[in-house]
Each structure stands twice: as C-alpha cells, then as structure tokens.
Amino acid sequence: MQPVGWAMLAVAALIAPQAAAAEASPQAALDQFADTLGYQLETVDNRPQCPTGIAGCFLTTITLTFPETLPDALPTRGLSLYFSFVNQLPLVESDIFTHRLINGDVQQLTLKPGATLRPGARHVVKLWGIGANFSRAFAMPNAYLVADGVNPRTIAATRAVIDPETGLEALPFAAPMTNEARLATKSDADRTRWLTAERAFAVQAERQAAATTGVAILPKPIEAVQGNRPSVDLGRGIALTLHGVERAAVAPALASLGVAEGGALPLTVRVDPVAIVKPEGYMLDVRTSGIAITAHDAAGASHALRSLAQQAAFEKGRMKPLRVVDAPEYGFRGLHIDLGRNFHGRDQILKLVEAMAAYKLNKLHLHLADDEGWRIEIPALPELAEIGSKRCHDLQEQACLLPQLGAGHDGKGGVNGYLTTADYVAIVQAAAARQIEVIPSIDMPGHSRAAIKAMEVRHARLMAAGKAADADAYRLIDPADTTEYRSIQHYNDNTLNVCLPATYRFVDTVVDALVDMHRQAGTPLRIFHIGADETAGAWVKSPACRAMIAENGGDAGKLTPRFIERVAQGLSAQGLRTGGWSDGMGHTDAAKMPGNVQTNIWGVLHGGAVREAHDQLNRGWDVVLSIPDLGYFDMPYAPHPDEGGYHWASRGVDDYQVFGFMPGNLPANAATIRNTHAEGKAIADEPVLQSGRRIAGVQAQLWSETIRTDGQVDYMLFPRLLALAERAWSPATWAPPYGAGATYEWGDKRVDAVKLKAGWQDFAGRVAAQLPMLDRMAIAYRVAPPGARIANGRLEANSIFPRTAIEYRIGGGDWTRYSGPVGVSGEIELRSRSADGKRTSRTVRVAAPVR
C-alpha cells in the first residue's frame, strides 16, 4: 500500500485557478504532469558535514518544481516517483517525501501521510550518499511517475538528449558543477584538481608534439625505414599473389587497402614460419618494382597489410619505399566490452572488430551478462533473453528486470536488447576472419541477477503447468535461504546458489550453447570467462548449503573458491580454458585448478595490482593486465565534472597515462602514475616474480554503467585504445628492466623520462595521422577540448594532438578558427574539431583579467 498523502494532490488541484484547469483522463493528466514537472539533480558538496552516524558522505539534491496548475484528473492512488541513484543512500531528507530503496540503484519517493503538494511549489530532496560524485555523468536519466490504473510516464525533464555539436548524450537536468573547492575532492589530503583549460595548456605545452612526416604506422613497428627512391603508386592497382595462405584469411585486411586488384603493381603475400619465426610477425618491403610481404602466419600477413594500408592512406596512395620488420611484444592484446549493464548491438561490435584489426588487437572479450542484463540468446532457456534483456517498470519482474541505471519504465531504447544466435555467430565469424578470438563472459556466481530473475520466471511458468521437476531443473536460488546481504552495487539477490545441482546444470547448458554457436561460426570455442568477481556474502543461511559449509570448516566464504574450482575443472574436461577476474581466481587453491587458466588482474596499481599479478604469475597462470589505472576506459579521461565515467579507481585515465604504462615492470609505474588522490606513492615489488614469469598481455575494459549510446562507446574507447594497442604491441623503451625486490617512487630516475617524452611525441604525431582513418570507420572518437590561457591580453591555445583544429569566440559571437596568439578581452570560449570537421569537443572557457 502507498501512503495516502498523495490524495492531497486532489485537494491541491481543487484550489488551482479554475480557468487553468482542463478536463482530462487520468492518463492524460499524468502525462501532462510528467511533461511539466521540473526536475534538477545537483551535486552540492562532496565534503559536507555528514549527518550523525554517517561517515564519508556527500550531498546531492533533487529539486522538484511543480507546475502552476495541477491537472484535476491527476490520479492520486499509488502515485510514486522512481529514479536511479548508484551510490548508497543511508539518509534521504525531505519535508514531504519518504524514500525507499527498491533494489540496486532503483529508488522510490512517496508522499508522507498528510503532506500537501501545492501548484508552483518547489521541494528540495536531500540525498546523503556514501562516497563522492565527481562527475555529472553519475546522474541517471528517465525518472518516472507511477500511479494505479494508468501507465507509467517518464518525467520529460529527465530525458537525455544528443548534443548536435559533440554527438554525445547530454543530461540537461544535471546541474553544472562549478565549485571546485567543495566538489573536486573529499578531503585536504586529496590533491586532485580539475583539468581546466589553463591547466591543460600547461600540461600540453610540456608534451607538445609535431605532426608526423615519416612513418605513421600504429602500433609502432620494431623497425621501419623509408627510402628516398621514386614513390610507389598504389593507384595503379595491385596484382595479388598468395603463397601459403588462403585469400579468405587476409580478405578483410586486403579490403582495408582500398586498392583495386588486376592492376600493374605486384603484391606478393607469403606465409613462411621458418623465415619469420615469431607468431604474428611479418616483414613488409615496399619498392617501385612491387610489394612483398613475408609473414609467420595469416595473422602476420594481415598485420602487414594493415600497416601498408595505414601508411598508404597517410601518403595518399603514393608511398616512399619502405621496409618494415615487426612482431608483437605480447600475444594477448584485448578489448573487453560490457554488454550487460547497457546493451550495444551487433553493428557496433562489428565496427569495433574492424577497428581492433586495424590496430592489431586480437582478443575480444564480450561481457554477455550481469545483474542488469542478459545479452545472449540461449535456445534451451528462452527466458534468459526474453526477460533478462529488458528493463521496465515491473516490480514483480515477470516481464522484465527492474529499470536499473536509468533505463526507463517502458522497456524500450537502446539499453535493452540481446544478441541472437545469428548475431553472435556473425560476430565470431567476422572476428575470426580478422584473426581475433572472441572470449564470451558470463559473470558468476555473483553479478548474476539477470539470470536468477529470468530463471524464476521460467520456474513459475513450469510450476503453473504442473511440471515441478522441470521447473526446479534450472532454479538458481534456494527459496529457503534467509541470508541477508547487499552486493557492491546494492543488490540483495544477485548470487547463484553454488550448492544446488541446478546451478551447475545451468552453467553446462549455457556453455554448451556457446560451444555450439562457435561451431556454427566455424571457429571452436577455446576459452570461457566466468567472471568470479565481487561475490557478496550469500548462502550463510541456505539449508542447501549446510553440508558444503560444514565441509569447508563452517566458513561460507570458501564456497566461492570451491565453485570456481569445480566449474574450471568441468570446463577443462570439455577442452575449454577458464578465464576469470583476479579477485575471485586468487582465492582458489591452485592445486585444484587446471594448469592453463587465464586471470585478468583488475586491482588498482596503488591498491594491490602488483601483489595480485605477481602471485598469480607465480602460480603459472596466464596473466592479463586489466589494471584500471590504464585499462578501464569507463574511467574519465581527465578529472573534470563534464568528463563522463566512474572514478573509483582513477580520476583520470588519459592517453598519455595509457601510453606510458610499463607492463613488464609493474612496480616501476609508481614513477609515472599517481594514486586516486593525485599523490605520488611508492610501490614495492611484492611478491617477487619467479624467474621466467612473464605476463600474457594487456586488455582494455569498457564497463557500461554510464554508457548508453554507441557514440559514448566510441568516445570512451578512442583514441586511448590506440595507446593501449601501442603498449600491447611495442615495448616501452623507457622502462627499466625488472629487478627483483625493487621499490619505485614518483619521478624515479630509473624510468627514462627523456625516452618517455620522445616516445609520446612520436606517438601523438602518429595518432593525428590516424584520426582520418577513424573518421572513415565512423568511429566517433573523443575530440579533446583545447588547452588555453590569456597572457598579456593575448589568447594562446594548444591541443593534445598536433594539427587539431581549434575555434574560439568572444562574448557568444561567431566561432573563429584559431591560428595563433590573438588579442582578446572578456570571457573566451574555445573548442576543438574532429579531423573531418563534423564534431566538436565540449566547450571550455578562459577569462581575461579585468583591468
């Protein structure tokens, strides 16, 4: 039952001016109310005096402004306001509203008994959250109204819009954040400062790079030498000859050349693993007499063709003679895309697959399920896709999941959806044609709410049909379990019960379906990623788990490692490798795990990454670095409230930080990467790596909690994914050799700062050369705002990457192309443009001193 206070809305409507009252149906009245209700979310203070009993709080407010006329037919029974807020809310203060957490981030406001709403009234709801909110991107759209007997309606003021200049989603209801003193940090110990235009100018002036004039290939080859003889004209067309490789294996790379076949220029591609000994290695020789490629394998041949395509595009089809000798530093060069939180479909993934191939990434890790969504069709369990892929207002969750992360009430929009079997097969085929391995991921036993709820719908359907045994076959919870817990994302029901045979039957069925999809694609499944991270404290009071808990000395916390070990052994029996996140994997008994598992290290650099990586390397596992400080591309590019992304691991993961990473000597990164408080802290080599241990590679992650559009995917990935591709392929020449037991501090001289700066400048020039290629691939990469300052009355501006077009305007006038220092007065707005001129950066401002 809802509080009866909403009935006071009818009283308020009666006292509204009669001339303004319009007769309408209850539905039309709710629609009108939703369309005219003012709604603003504002982060007020990240450093407030917290209410008694609450530590580490921040204050956000929701301001509701009621229309001057309340519809007289407005339904009052059961009227509630639902919104999403991702932080824990131990206290919500309001003169008229009461608050209730539904689950996860879904919140409900209802009127207090006896409260009165008046036309034109303004009400401020104080949300006391735990943690901090450093970005407007934390605001979730699509708050909505619900009442009995009518359909829910989105509050119009909370809808997201697309900015026509930037192409990015904007949230007009999220108030600007301007008070740096109160909003940029949590304490005086935090040295983070917003990256204003003036501060960006200083940073970029120190790192300023010139445009590339020579070899533009990215990632950087081991050896690339241009000659001075007459140019090679690819416009003549090519005469292709293949030896030791099928055309299909290099067809996408050939297509990237954009050159007609049947021409005069010989292009010979030869696969010879004796001549080129390293996997994926190649030699490219471009001469006036023809182009010769010798590669270890089809992947190496494709990489050579991609390098040729990049350089040919840069030189507009007339190339200087060129000799390239190249091979990757690491065999695992990955990209992880989270489809669970917010869905991104087949076309977007296929576009990313082509971009991965262009920059020599070779592992696509698809996160196909999480608490907020199930994104892959499993024919034997149709409810997984039918129920688990959609979020809407159904508190019983019989038709959909709760509308987490501002998904909206109606189950529509791009955040909903799933990959059909045909979609997934097409992705695997496209990836395989580009020598990219698809690694499917179904997170378990935690992060499994979508699966649990979908299987509950299946259970109810079969029970109603009198098929109790079939209903229980895939039920993933123990209904007698009275354990109370909250996951890190505030769910109390998101963990598979690891003591039920049904859970393992479910895992087998899902894995079998994916194996079959890979078989249909003609590419066998080799590795299955089980997640295994962030498992909440479930099962303690589950009768089904009593025996298993007793077998583990009464410690319910040991059940997750036992689950991981059992699933990993089951996968191994099917000829599959197990992948998982390092926190769950690290708690297993290595002796009970298969010997060839893969672990993704996602500890923060200053918070345990070295310990986890070295410990799990010493177990003999394949270790992939997924460290957030350089690889979580859902983190903001820079510490600024208008840069999107979560910030729990880093306040800013910019292109330079990713480029400068030293994968082969993790402790050394203390010299160049600060902690989340912008402090330089020492990192010790603990535990010491055993001799001969080496990481398998590096992976970028894009978690999608705040990423609802494909344009945002592109923005958050590019161009910093190019920096990760560079680091995964080419050695960091500024890194000192790994030394057992060494400790590194901020600015440590053993890291060669001169080489790092020179390497960055070379890289930045090559990135600028690649931006037109990204434009052609329809990748809406981030256009970084310019740095700017006013010195002696003159505006000066600069960019991260050379030859970026900068525009400025004075006093809201017309935009003018910046070509050099110019005399100005007053406040100046600036922005950058994409290489193709179609998009701009966000606008930044500088002000001339008042005289």
mmCIF file of all heavy atoms in Angstrom, residues 358-389:
data_model
loop_
_atom_site.group_PDB
_atom_site.id
_atom_site.type_symbol
_atom_site.label_atom_id
_atom_site.label_comp_id
_atom_site.label_asym_id
_atom_site.label_seq_id
_atom_site.Cartn_x
_atom_site.Cartn_y
_atom_site.Cartn_z
ATOM 1 N N ALA A 358 42.436 -3.200 -37.342
ATOM 2 C CA ALA A 358 43.258 -2.128 -37.901
ATOM 3 C C ALA A 358 44.453 -1.825 -37.015
ATOM 4 O O ALA A 358 45.528 -1.458 -37.515
ATOM 5 C CB ALA A 358 42.409 -0.873 -38.102
ATOM 6 N N TYR A 359 44.280 -1.987 -35.695
ATOM 7 C CA TYR A 359 45.349 -1.636 -34.762
ATOM 8 C C TYR A 359 45.905 -2.865 -34.037
ATOM 9 O O TYR A 359 46.480 -2.750 -32.971
ATOM 10 C CB TYR A 359 44.855 -0.551 -33.816
ATOM 11 C CG TYR A 359 44.497 0.690 -34.590
ATOM 12 C CD1 TYR A 359 43.170 1.036 -34.827
ATOM 13 C CD2 TYR A 359 45.494 1.459 -35.181
ATOM 14 C CE1 TYR A 359 42.851 2.150 -35.603
ATOM 15 C CE2 TYR A 359 45.180 2.559 -35.947
ATOM 16 C CZ TYR A 359 43.866 2.899 -36.166
ATOM 17 O OH TYR A 359 43.562 3.978 -36.944
ATOM 18 N N LYS A 360 45.673 -4.042 -34.648
ATOM 19 C CA LYS A 360 46.373 -5.278 -34.290
ATOM 20 C C LYS A 360 46.018 -5.798 -32.898
ATOM 21 O O LYS A 360 46.830 -6.483 -32.254
ATOM 22 C CB LYS A 360 47.886 -5.103 -34.442
ATOM 23 C CG LYS A 360 48.308 -4.629 -35.846
ATOM 24 C CD LYS A 360 49.807 -4.501 -35.984
ATOM 25 C CE LYS A 360 50.234 -4.109 -37.387
ATOM 26 N NZ LYS A 360 49.906 -2.721 -37.757
ATOM 27 N N LEU A 361 44.809 -5.512 -32.426
ATOM 28 C CA LEU A 361 44.297 -6.167 -31.227
ATOM 29 C C LEU A 361 43.703 -7.511 -31.632
ATOM 30 O O LEU A 361 43.122 -7.643 -32.708
ATOM 31 C CB LEU A 361 43.239 -5.292 -30.552
ATOM 32 C CG LEU A 361 43.729 -3.922 -30.062
ATOM 33 C CD1 LEU A 361 42.557 -3.067 -29.621
ATOM 34 C CD2 LEU A 361 44.731 -4.082 -28.924
ATOM 35 N N ASN A 362 43.816 -8.520 -30.760
ATOM 36 C CA ASN A 362 43.448 -9.864 -31.198
ATOM 37 C C ASN A 362 42.548 -10.651 -30.261
ATOM 38 O O ASN A 362 42.297 -11.835 -30.501
ATOM 39 C CB ASN A 362 44.714 -10.673 -31.503
ATOM 40 C CG ASN A 362 45.557 -10.945 -30.270
ATOM 41 O OD1 ASN A 362 45.316 -10.388 -29.203
ATOM 42 N ND2 ASN A 362 46.559 -11.800 -30.418
ATOM 43 N N LYS A 363 42.039 -10.034 -29.192
ATOM 44 C CA LYS A 363 41.128 -10.729 -28.282
ATOM 45 C C LYS A 363 39.934 -9.826 -27.984
ATOM 46 O O LYS A 363 40.100 -8.710 -27.486
ATOM 47 C CB LYS A 363 41.822 -11.089 -26.959
ATOM 48 C CG LYS A 363 43.150 -11.836 -27.104
ATOM 49 C CD LYS A 363 42.974 -13.254 -27.618
ATOM 50 C CE LYS A 363 44.334 -13.959 -27.704
ATOM 51 N NZ LYS A 363 44.222 -15.330 -28.241
ATOM 52 N N LEU A 364 38.731 -10.314 -28.296
ATOM 53 C CA LEU A 364 37.501 -9.582 -27.999
ATOM 54 C C LEU A 364 36.772 -10.293 -26.873
ATOM 55 O O LEU A 364 36.231 -11.389 -27.051
ATOM 56 C CB LEU A 364 36.604 -9.497 -29.231
ATOM 57 C CG LEU A 364 35.235 -8.840 -29.024
ATOM 58 C CD1 LEU A 364 35.386 -7.399 -28.543
ATOM 59 C CD2 LEU A 364 34.399 -8.908 -30.297
ATOM 60 N N HIS A 365 36.768 -9.665 -25.712
ATOM 61 C CA HIS A 365 36.158 -10.221 -24.502
ATOM 62 C C HIS A 365 34.762 -9.607 -24.387
ATOM 63 O O HIS A 365 34.615 -8.428 -24.067
ATOM 64 C CB HIS A 365 37.046 -9.853 -23.308
ATOM 65 C CG HIS A 365 36.583 -10.350 -21.989
ATOM 66 N ND1 HIS A 365 37.403 -10.345 -20.881
ATOM 67 C CD2 HIS A 365 35.402 -10.844 -21.553
ATOM 68 C CE1 HIS A 365 36.742 -10.823 -19.837
ATOM 69 N NE2 HIS A 365 35.514 -11.126 -20.225
ATOM 70 N N LEU A 366 33.736 -10.419 -24.661
ATOM 71 C CA LEU A 366 32.353 -9.938 -24.632
ATOM 72 C C LEU A 366 31.710 -10.314 -23.303
ATOM 73 O O LEU A 366 31.485 -11.498 -23.009
ATOM 74 C CB LEU A 366 31.552 -10.533 -25.784
ATOM 75 C CG LEU A 366 31.880 -10.018 -27.182
ATOM 76 C CD1 LEU A 366 31.010 -10.718 -28.227
ATOM 77 C CD2 LEU A 366 31.698 -8.504 -27.272
ATOM 78 N N HIS A 367 31.396 -9.295 -22.514
ATOM 79 C CA HIS A 367 30.737 -9.482 -21.218
ATOM 80 C C HIS A 367 29.237 -9.550 -21.484
ATOM 81 O O HIS A 367 28.574 -8.531 -21.669
ATOM 82 C CB HIS A 367 31.104 -8.304 -20.312
ATOM 83 C CG HIS A 367 30.643 -8.459 -18.896
ATOM 84 N ND1 HIS A 367 31.222 -9.347 -18.020
ATOM 85 C CD2 HIS A 367 29.668 -7.827 -18.195
ATOM 86 C CE1 HIS A 367 30.628 -9.257 -16.850
ATOM 87 N NE2 HIS A 367 29.685 -8.344 -16.922
ATOM 88 N N LEU A 368 28.696 -10.758 -21.506
ATOM 89 C CA LEU A 368 27.359 -11.016 -22.035
ATOM 90 C C LEU A 368 26.259 -11.030 -20.989
ATOM 91 O O LEU A 368 25.081 -11.132 -21.349
ATOM 92 C CB LEU A 368 27.362 -12.346 -22.787
ATOM 93 C CG LEU A 368 28.261 -12.402 -24.026
ATOM 94 C CD1 LEU A 368 28.371 -13.826 -24.538
ATOM 95 C CD2 LEU A 368 27.741 -11.472 -25.111
ATOM 96 N N ALA A 369 26.595 -10.953 -19.721
ATOM 97 C CA ALA A 369 25.555 -10.981 -18.692
ATOM 98 C C ALA A 369 26.079 -10.367 -17.412
ATOM 99 O O ALA A 369 27.254 -10.511 -17.072
ATOM 100 C CB ALA A 369 25.094 -12.415 -18.431
ATOM 101 N N ASP A 370 25.180 -9.698 -16.716
ATOM 102 C CA ASP A 370 25.495 -9.114 -15.413
ATOM 103 C C ASP A 370 24.184 -8.971 -14.650
ATOM 104 O O ASP A 370 23.145 -9.466 -15.098
ATOM 105 C CB ASP A 370 26.223 -7.777 -15.564
ATOM 106 C CG ASP A 370 27.242 -7.554 -14.454
ATOM 107 O OD1 ASP A 370 26.816 -7.391 -13.296
ATOM 108 O OD2 ASP A 370 28.447 -7.547 -14.735
ATOM 109 N N ASP A 371 24.223 -8.280 -13.531
ATOM 110 C CA ASP A 371 22.996 -8.086 -12.762
ATOM 111 C C ASP A 371 21.919 -7.383 -13.572
ATOM 112 O O ASP A 371 20.734 -7.682 -13.448
ATOM 113 C CB ASP A 371 23.292 -7.252 -11.510
ATOM 114 C CG ASP A 371 24.198 -7.963 -10.537
ATOM 115 O OD1 ASP A 371 24.050 -9.188 -10.365
ATOM 116 O OD2 ASP A 371 25.069 -7.298 -9.938
ATOM 117 N N GLU A 372 22.331 -6.436 -14.394
ATOM 118 C CA GLU A 372 21.381 -5.555 -15.066
ATOM 119 C C GLU A 372 20.905 -6.061 -16.422
ATOM 120 O O GLU A 372 20.055 -5.419 -17.048
ATOM 121 C CB GLU A 372 21.994 -4.166 -15.230
ATOM 122 C CG GLU A 372 22.294 -3.449 -13.934
ATOM 123 C CD GLU A 372 23.610 -3.865 -13.286
ATOM 124 O OE1 GLU A 372 24.387 -4.612 -13.914
ATOM 125 O OE2 GLU A 372 23.855 -3.456 -12.135
ATOM 126 N N GLY A 373 21.461 -7.164 -16.907
ATOM 127 C CA GLY A 373 21.003 -7.625 -18.207
ATOM 128 C C GLY A 373 21.667 -8.904 -18.661
ATOM 129 O O GLY A 373 22.849 -9.148 -18.385
ATOM 130 N N TRP A 374 20.888 -9.728 -19.367
ATOM 131 C CA TRP A 374 21.389 -10.929 -20.033
ATOM 132 C C TRP A 374 21.334 -10.657 -21.524
ATOM 133 O O TRP A 374 20.278 -10.312 -22.053
ATOM 134 C CB TRP A 374 20.543 -12.136 -19.672
ATOM 135 C CG TRP A 374 21.074 -13.402 -20.270
ATOM 136 C CD1 TRP A 374 20.894 -13.846 -21.558
ATOM 137 C CD2 TRP A 374 21.895 -14.379 -19.628
ATOM 138 N NE1 TRP A 374 21.557 -15.028 -21.751
ATOM 139 C CE2 TRP A 374 22.175 -15.385 -20.586
ATOM 140 C CE3 TRP A 374 22.414 -14.504 -18.335
ATOM 141 C CZ2 TRP A 374 22.957 -16.497 -20.280
ATOM 142 C CZ3 TRP A 374 23.187 -15.602 -18.041
ATOM 143 C CH2 TRP A 374 23.455 -16.592 -19.000
ATOM 144 N N ARG A 375 22.434 -10.834 -22.247
ATOM 145 C CA ARG A 375 22.545 -10.299 -23.610
ATOM 146 C C ARG A 375 22.850 -11.341 -24.685
ATOM 147 O O ARG A 375 23.269 -10.972 -25.767
ATOM 148 C CB ARG A 375 23.635 -9.220 -23.637
ATOM 149 C CG ARG A 375 23.483 -8.148 -22.588
ATOM 150 C CD ARG A 375 22.151 -7.433 -22.663
ATOM 151 N NE ARG A 375 22.068 -6.317 -21.715
ATOM 152 C CZ ARG A 375 21.008 -5.555 -21.539
ATOM 153 N NH1 ARG A 375 19.920 -5.785 -22.262
ATOM 154 N NH2 ARG A 375 21.025 -4.569 -20.662
ATOM 155 N N ILE A 376 22.605 -12.612 -24.420
ATOM 156 C CA ILE A 376 22.872 -13.625 -25.434
ATOM 157 C C ILE A 376 21.729 -14.642 -25.429
ATOM 158 O O ILE A 376 21.306 -15.107 -24.371
ATOM 159 C CB ILE A 376 24.245 -14.323 -25.187
ATOM 160 C CG1 ILE A 376 24.548 -15.348 -26.283
ATOM 161 C CG2 ILE A 376 24.305 -14.949 -23.804
ATOM 162 C CD1 ILE A 376 24.841 -14.728 -27.639
ATOM 163 N N GLU A 377 21.240 -14.967 -26.606
ATOM 164 C CA GLU A 377 20.182 -15.961 -26.732
ATOM 165 C C GLU A 377 20.717 -17.350 -26.403
ATOM 166 O O GLU A 377 21.732 -17.780 -26.959
ATOM 167 C CB GLU A 377 19.641 -15.948 -28.165
ATOM 168 C CG GLU A 377 18.552 -16.975 -28.432
ATOM 169 C CD GLU A 377 18.121 -17.004 -29.877
ATOM 170 O OE1 GLU A 377 18.850 -16.471 -30.740
ATOM 171 O OE2 GLU A 377 17.033 -17.571 -30.152
ATOM 172 N N ILE A 378 20.033 -18.050 -25.509
ATOM 173 C CA ILE A 378 20.327 -19.443 -25.192
ATOM 174 C C ILE A 378 19.057 -20.226 -25.543
ATOM 175 O O ILE A 378 18.074 -20.178 -24.795
ATOM 176 C CB ILE A 378 20.698 -19.636 -23.704
ATOM 177 C CG1 ILE A 378 21.883 -18.731 -23.323
ATOM 178 C CG2 ILE A 378 21.009 -21.105 -23.414
ATOM 179 C CD1 ILE A 378 23.173 -19.026 -24.045
ATOM 180 N N PRO A 379 19.028 -20.904 -26.683
ATOM 181 C CA PRO A 379 17.785 -21.506 -27.160
ATOM 182 C C PRO A 379 17.085 -22.407 -26.146
ATOM 183 O O PRO A 379 15.852 -22.424 -26.082
ATOM 184 C CB PRO A 379 18.234 -22.280 -28.403
ATOM 185 C CG PRO A 379 19.413 -21.512 -28.908
ATOM 186 C CD PRO A 379 20.128 -21.058 -27.671
ATOM 187 N N ALA A 380 17.844 -23.140 -25.330
ATOM 188 C CA ALA A 380 17.219 -24.053 -24.374
ATOM 189 C C ALA A 380 16.570 -23.327 -23.200
ATOM 190 O O ALA A 380 15.729 -23.912 -22.500
ATOM 191 C CB ALA A 380 18.267 -25.043 -23.851
ATOM 192 N N LEU A 381 16.932 -22.078 -22.991
ATOM 193 C CA LEU A 381 16.419 -21.290 -21.862
ATOM 194 C C LEU A 381 15.961 -19.934 -22.383
ATOM 195 O O LEU A 381 16.618 -18.911 -22.176
ATOM 196 C CB LEU A 381 17.506 -21.130 -20.793
ATOM 197 C CG LEU A 381 18.070 -22.430 -20.193
ATOM 198 C CD1 LEU A 381 19.270 -22.135 -19.314
ATOM 199 C CD2 LEU A 381 16.989 -23.173 -19.399
ATOM 200 N N PRO A 382 14.832 -19.879 -23.083
ATOM 201 C CA PRO A 382 14.427 -18.643 -23.760
ATOM 202 C C PRO A 382 14.175 -17.465 -22.832
ATOM 203 O O PRO A 382 14.328 -16.313 -23.242
ATOM 204 C CB PRO A 382 13.143 -19.052 -24.500
ATOM 205 C CG PRO A 382 12.662 -20.292 -23.806
ATOM 206 C CD PRO A 382 13.892 -20.994 -23.333
ATOM 207 N N GLU A 383 13.820 -17.735 -21.572
ATOM 208 C CA GLU A 383 13.557 -16.623 -20.658
ATOM 209 C C GLU A 383 14.792 -15.755 -20.412
ATOM 210 O O GLU A 383 14.656 -14.576 -20.077
ATOM 211 C CB GLU A 383 13.038 -17.146 -19.314
ATOM 212 C CG GLU A 383 11.607 -17.628 -19.325
ATOM 213 C CD GLU A 383 11.476 -19.084 -19.746
ATOM 214 O OE1 GLU A 383 12.515 -19.701 -20.093
ATOM 215 O OE2 GLU A 383 10.353 -19.617 -19.723
ATOM 216 N N LEU A 384 15.963 -16.337 -20.566
ATOM 217 C CA LEU A 384 17.173 -15.541 -20.338
ATOM 218 C C LEU A 384 17.178 -14.303 -21.213
ATOM 219 O O LEU A 384 17.440 -13.187 -20.734
ATOM 220 C CB LEU A 384 18.425 -16.384 -20.602
ATOM 221 C CG LEU A 384 18.765 -17.424 -19.537
ATOM 222 C CD1 LEU A 384 19.869 -18.344 -20.018
ATOM 223 C CD2 LEU A 384 19.154 -16.744 -18.225
ATOM 224 N N ALA A 385 16.894 -14.460 -22.498
ATOM 225 C CA ALA A 385 16.868 -13.319 -23.399
ATOM 226 C C ALA A 385 15.544 -12.573 -23.323
ATOM 227 O O ALA A 385 15.516 -11.345 -23.325
ATOM 228 C CB ALA A 385 17.132 -13.778 -24.833
ATOM 229 N N GLU A 386 14.453 -13.292 -23.242
ATOM 230 C CA GLU A 386 13.138 -12.642 -23.276
ATOM 231 C C GLU A 386 12.906 -11.759 -22.055
ATOM 232 O O GLU A 386 12.329 -10.673 -22.169
ATOM 233 C CB GLU A 386 12.041 -13.706 -23.359
ATOM 234 C CG GLU A 386 12.030 -14.481 -24.679
ATOM 235 C CD GLU A 386 11.117 -15.693 -24.634
ATOM 236 O OE1 GLU A 386 10.488 -15.933 -23.575
ATOM 237 O OE2 GLU A 386 11.049 -16.414 -25.656
ATOM 238 N N ILE A 387 13.319 -12.215 -20.901
ATOM 239 C CA ILE A 387 13.118 -11.464 -19.653
ATOM 240 C C ILE A 387 14.382 -10.706 -19.264
ATOM 241 O O ILE A 387 14.346 -9.522 -18.926
ATOM 242 C CB ILE A 387 12.713 -12.404 -18.507
ATOM 243 C CG1 ILE A 387 11.490 -13.239 -18.890
ATOM 244 C CG2 ILE A 387 12.478 -11.608 -17.217
ATOM 245 C CD1 ILE A 387 10.259 -12.435 -19.213
ATOM 246 N N GLY A 388 15.515 -11.386 -19.339
ATOM 247 C CA GLY A 388 16.748 -10.819 -18.810
ATOM 248 C C GLY A 388 17.355 -9.707 -19.631
ATOM 249 O O GLY A 388 18.251 -9.004 -19.151
ATOM 250 N N SER A 389 16.888 -9.508 -20.868
ATOM 251 C CA SER A 389 17.484 -8.471 -21.718
ATOM 252 C C SER A 389 16.729 -7.152 -21.669
ATOM 253 O O SER A 389 17.142 -6.190 -22.311
ATOM 254 C CB SER A 389 17.515 -8.946 -23.173
ATOM 255 O OG SER A 389 16.205 -8.958 -23.725
#
